[in-house]
Amino acid sequence: MSEALRYVSTRGDCPAAGLSAAIAAGLAPDGGLYVPQTMPRRDIADFDPAGTLADTATTLLAPFFAGDPLADALPAICAEALDFPVPHRALTTDGAHVLELFHGPTAAFKDIGARFLAACLARLPRADTRPLTILVATSGDTGAAVGAAFHDRPGVRVVILYPDGKVSPRQAHQLGCFGDNVTALRVAGRFDDCQRMVKAALNDASLQAVVPLSSANSISLGRLLPQMSYYAHAALGWWRERGQPLDLIVPTGNLGNALAALWVRELGLPVGRVHLTCNANATLPEFLAGADYRPREAVATIANAMDVGAPSNVERLRWTFDDATLRRELPATCVDDAAIRDTIARHAREHGEVFCPHTATAMHVLDTLRAAGDRDDWTVVATAHPAKFESVVEPLVGHPVAVPPALAAMLARPSLADPLAADDGTLKAWLKSALR
Ligand SMILES: *Cc1c(COP(=O)(O)O)cnc(C)c1O
C-alpha cells in the first residue's frame, strides 16, 4: 500500500486527518477546511486514453485515497457516482465549447459531488447504530442533488432547508419530491438563515447526543475531490487532440467548482487559464482586483445558485496560492442580471442555444472577450440545465425549454415541504420531535 495522504486544516489548528475522517467530519475541528497536506502530481501518461470519466476519476483520485480504508472501493465509488455523460461540445460560434455538467439526476453539476459523497459515506463504518441525519442548507441546487444521492439509502436521513419563495418553482418542486428518508423544510427567511440554523444544530452537542447529525455542504472534501474529474477528463481529451491546455470560464458562487479546475492544474494536468464569473455578488472579483477580502451578505439574483457573499472555498483558494499570484493569474468578472438576460436571449436568437442563468454569466464573459478581439479557444462550463430555471429562461427565449427525462420524472411526483420559522431553536426542536 502506498503512503497515505494526510489532510490538514486551512487554519492549521488541529491534527492532520486521513481521508475517511476528513470526509466524515466535513468541517475541520478548528473551523477550517480540509486540504491535502501536499498536492500529489499526476502525469498525462498515467491515464488510459480510452478510459471513461469514471476511469479518469479513479486514476486521478488514487493518490488522494492511497492508504485510506476507502482506497479499495475507489473504482466502485467512481463507477457509481459518475455514471452519466459530461459532454464537451463545440458551439457553432468560433472556438467556443461548452462542458455540460448537468446531465445527472437533478440537472445541475451538484449531482457529481453529492453522489460521490453519498457513495463514500455509504462505505464508511459507523459505530453508532442510530440513523445519521444529514442536514443541508440550500439556495436551490445542492439540496436536490443531496436528496437524490441519499434517497432510499439505509441508515441515513436527509433534512433539506431552503429559503421559502427564493428558489425557482421547479427547484422547490424537486426539493420536496423525494419523501421517504428525505424531508424538505421551507424556511421563512433567506439562505443565510438556513445556513446559520444548520450550523447551530451541528454545533449543539446535546442535540447531537439525541440525533446524530452530519452535513453535506459544499465544504466537504467528498464533494470537492470528484469535481476535479470532469476537468481532468476534458483537459486530457483536449490535449490528446490538440496538444493545448484547456482554457475555462467557470460560473462561480462558493468557489468549489472553479477551485477543482485550479487543483487539476496544480496536479500537473493540462488545464490552462481559468476565468471566474460571478453574478452581482462582487466579493471575489473585488478581492482578485486587489481590494482587501471583504465577505458580506449575499444579494439575490436570477442566477440564484451563485448568490454567495462569503464564498466558503476562499480559504482553500488562499491556502493553495498566495494573493499576489491569484491577483495576477485569476481574472474574475461580475455579470449583472440585465447582462445575464441579454445573453440568454441573444444566444437563443442568434445561435439556437439555450443557457441557464449561471452558464450565461460565463457566456457573457466570452462574448466580451470576443468583442475585444480575443480569438482563442475557450470552454464555457455549463452548470445547470436551463429547464430548471424555466421561469427566467422561457420568457427570454420565447419558447418552452424541453425538460430532461430525470427532471420530468421528479416534477411528475407530488411535492411536500413543511414550513419552518427562521430560528435556530425551532429547527432544533423540530429535529428532536421529528427524528427521535
Ligand atoms: C452551485 C452552482 C454554481 C456555483 O458553484 P460553486 O461551486 O458554488 O462556485 C453555479 N451554477 C449552478 C447551476 C450551481 O448549482
Side-chain angles (χ1 to χ4, degrees):
M1 189 147 54
S2 44
E3 208 188 322
L5 185 61
R6 308 284 293 167
Y7 294 84
V8 294
S9 165
T10 47
R11 301 196 182 163
D13 282 334
C14 59
L19 178 72
S20 289
I23 288 180
L27 204 64
D30 63 358
L33 276 60
Y34 280 115
V35 287
Q37 193 156 33
T38 53
M39 231 5 139
R41 297 289 293 180
R42 301 270 73 190
D43 199 303
I44 294 169
D46 296 341
F47 294 84
D48 175 4
T52 61
L53 173 63
D55 296 334
T56 299
T58 304
T59 304
L60 180 79
L61 298 177
F64 292 89
F65 278 65
D68 189 82
L70 284 174
D72 289 345
L74 179 61
I77 292 168
C78 293
E80 184 183 317
L82 301 166
D83 67 346
F84 50 84
V86 179
H88 188 202
R89 182 167 73 80
L91 296 176
T92 53
T93 36
D94 262 359
H97 285 65
V98 282
L99 183 61
E100 293 181 350
L101 307 182
F102 55 69
H103 295 281
T106 72
F109 87 90
K110 303 288 198 305
D111 280 325
I112 292 149
R115 287 159 61 85
F116 193 93
L117 175 65
C120 288
L121 287 180
R123 289 168 173 83
L124 287 180
R126 281 182 70 230
D128 201 326
T129 54
R130 293 172 300 173
L132 179 68
T133 298
I134 299 193
L135 282 179
V136 54
T138 183
S139 61
D141 285 334
T142 295
V146 171
F150 286 93
H151 186 213
D152 279 344
R153 282 190 188 263
V156 205
R157 293 185 287 213
V158 174
V159 176
I160 302 166
L161 281 77
Y162 72 90
D164 200 5
K166 297 193 173 61
V167 304
S168 86
R170 280 186 182 161
Q171 282 178 316
H173 192 102
Q174 264 189 326
L175 293 167
C177 83
F178 298 105
D180 308 314
N181 63 332
V182 182
T183 306
L185 299 174
R186 50 186 175 85
V187 173
R190 297 178 313 158
F191 171 63
D192 293 335
D193 296 309
C194 300
Q195 207 154 26
R196 189 203 65 238
M197 293 160 72
V198 164
K199 270 199 190 137
L202 288 168
N203 288 334
D204 185 333
S206 66
L207 175 66
Q208 288 259 21
V210 189
V211 185
L213 297 173
S214 181
S215 88
N217 46 11
S218 74
I219 47 100
S220 169
L221 263 184
R223 285 181 52 186
L224 184 61
L225 295 177
Q227 289 172 186
M228 293 195 287
S229 319
Y230 41 82
Y231 291 121
H233 196 65
L236 286 163
W238 187 261
W239 179 266
R240 287 182 198 113
E241 218 176 272
R242 317 210 175 191
Q244 305 263 341
L246 186 67
D247 291 334
L248 295 160
I249 309 178
V250 188
T252 295
N254 261 322
L255 197 57
N257 197 12
L259 183 69
L262 294 168
W263 276 12
V264 168
R265 195 171 67 193
E266 288 303 292
L267 301 183
L269 296 180
V271 165
R273 292 173 288 174
V274 175
H275 193 127
L276 311 184
T277 63
C278 297
N279 54 27
N281 289 279
T283 307
L284 278 169
E286 286 180 7
F287 163 64
L288 291 168
D292 287 343
Y293 181 66
R294 191 169 63 82
R296 61 200 79 167
E297 286 199 350
V299 298
T301 76
I302 56 172
N304 65 11
M306 290 158 48
D307 290 350
V308 179
S312 43
N313 281 296
V314 163
E315 266 190 67
R316 284 194 174 109
L317 184 75
R318 296 177 81 183
W319 178 87
T320 314
F321 307 98
D322 62 59
D323 288 357
T325 305
L326 288 173
R327 287 171 174 148
R328 201 171 50 241
E329 294 181 2
L330 189 61
T333 308
C334 275
V335 180
D336 65 18
D337 279 358
I340 292 172
R341 287 202 171 88
D342 174 67
T343 303
I344 294 172
R346 198 156 34 78
H347 279 266
R349 195 170 62 235
E350 292 175 7
H351 308 293
E353 293 281 356
V354 180
F355 300 114
C356 88
H358 313 80
T359 308
T361 64
M363 202 45 84
H364 175 79
V365 165
L366 178 58
D367 291 345
T368 309
L369 289 170
R370 292 289 186 247
D374 181 301
R375 291 289 167 267
D376 296 341
D377 290 323
W378 285 98
T379 289
V380 162
V381 177
T383 49
H385 194 288
K388 242 184 140 164
F389 301 91
E390 87 291 357
S391 54
V392 172
V393 171
E394 288 181 351
L396 294 168
V397 304
H399 60 78
V401 178
V403 179
L407 178 55
M410 287 185 186
L411 297 176
R413 294 216 292 261
S415 176
L416 185 74
D418 289 346
L420 198 79
D423 172 69
D424 298 355
T426 309
L427 174 64
K428 290 180 189 179
W430 187 93
L431 289 168
K432 277 189 191 151
S433 64
L435 298 181
R436 191 188 288 263

